[in-house]
Amino acid sequence: MAYKWLQRASQNGDPNSLLWLGLCFEEGGKGVEQNSSKALELFKRAADKGNVVAQFHLGVLHKEGFGVKKDLDLAEKSFLQFFNCSKIDALLEKWKEKSTQETINMFRMGYILVHNLGPFSETNVGESVDENGNDSLAQGIRLIRLAAEKQYSPARIILADCYEQGRGVERDREKAIHWLQRAKKENGNKNCQLRLDPL
């Protein structure tokens, strides 16, 4: 029901509906087949209409090569547009709170911390700590893991990448395969096989 409502609203060009419909296709499940190319199209339409959060998801798709050829220049451009938005401080603060979007919010903040983006880009993330002395990279891994455990498939893929590369965690091929297989089996995410094949 929600998907059909979003689909109707997006046809009228509502940027928030375009964003949420894009999120449906990005993750898959709940009656929607995962489709990164469709998600990319919807995020771009939402971003063109001024939706700053869609800019973030465009950056992720371009950086990771989901539904499009990997393009770090386009990814950086999207992230810059996202972080240069005057509302970013309020958005980041809101994402720390629990809400109906908690899982996706945890992934966004975790991704920002793990990849040393935006407000963290001018520091060495391995040495960057918050007021409680917590390592930013470790915090990012924790948030992504929480989102992955809540069945958010993009978080599962990124967590697998972290284990494959040894980013913020000890390199572990078996754990990388485990999270990719879970994203593929439980969410039907088509991006998983491309990462599983080399492993």
Side-chain angles (χ1 to χ4, degrees):
M1 182 64 72
Y3 168 73
K4 290 182 179 179
W5 181 86
L6 283 171
Q7 200 170 34
R8 286 197 297 270
S10 69
Q11 289 171 354
N12 295 326
D14 176 66
N16 289 328
S17 298
L18 289 166
L19 168 68
W20 278 100
L21 193 57
L23 290 169
C24 289
F25 281 107
E26 181 187 41
E27 182 177 7
K30 298 181 181 179
V32 180
E33 184 177 358
Q34 193 272 333
N35 188 327
S36 294
S37 296
K38 185 66 176 175
L40 183 80
E41 174 195 333
L42 290 161
F43 290 147
K44 188 175 188 309
R45 286 175 60 193
D48 288 345
K49 290 179 177 292
N51 190 296
V52 63
V53 178
Q55 288 286 3
F56 172 82
H57 286 276
L58 274 176
V60 174
L61 293 180
H62 283 297
K63 183 176 177 64
E64 302 298 332
F66 293 164
V68 66
K69 185 177 179 181
K70 187 179 289 190
D71 191 322
L72 298 182
D73 289 336
L74 278 177
E76 183 179 6
K77 181 179 178 181
S78 292
F79 286 134
L80 281 174
Q81 289 177 317
F82 171 74
F83 285 113
N84 286 337
C85 175
S86 59
K87 299 177 182 178
I88 186 59
D89 289 340
L91 279 172
L92 289 176
E93 188 61 34
K94 182 180 179 181
W95 289 355
K96 296 177 184 177
E97 302 170 359
K98 289 189 175 181
S99 69
T100 55
Q101 310 174 67
E102 181 183 4
T103 301
I104 298 175
N105 293 343
M106 284 191 295
F107 168 72
R108 290 170 182 155
M109 182 58 76
Y111 192 92
I112 289 168
L113 290 168
V114 165
H115 288 281
N116 200 19
L117 299 170
F120 307 93
S121 61
E122 294 181 0
T123 66
N124 183 321
V125 74
E127 298 174 356
S128 179
V129 295
D130 65 11
E131 63 272 17
N132 298 316
N134 296 315
D135 181 272
S136 295
L137 180 55
Q139 283 184 303
I141 293 292
R142 176 176 172 273
L143 288 168
I144 288 175
R145 190 192 310 279
L146 286 170
E149 289 170 350
K150 289 178 178 288
Q151 301 186 342
Y152 186 58
S153 67
R156 291 176 168 180
I157 296 174
I158 300 306
L159 184 58
D161 285 347
C162 290
Y163 276 114
E164 182 188 358
Q165 300 166 13
R167 176 186 284 269
V169 292
E170 186 175 346
R171 185 170 290 175
D172 191 320
R173 178 176 173 273
E174 294 304 314
K175 287 184 178 179
I177 292 173
H178 165 78
W179 284 109
L180 286 172
Q181 287 178 335
R182 284 189 64 180
K184 181 181 179 183
K185 180 180 179 180
E186 297 173 29
N187 301 89
N189 197 304
K190 298 176 183 177
N191 296 304
C192 299
Q193 196 59 50
L194 293 174
R195 284 166 156 73
L196 279 168
D197 287 341
L199 295 174

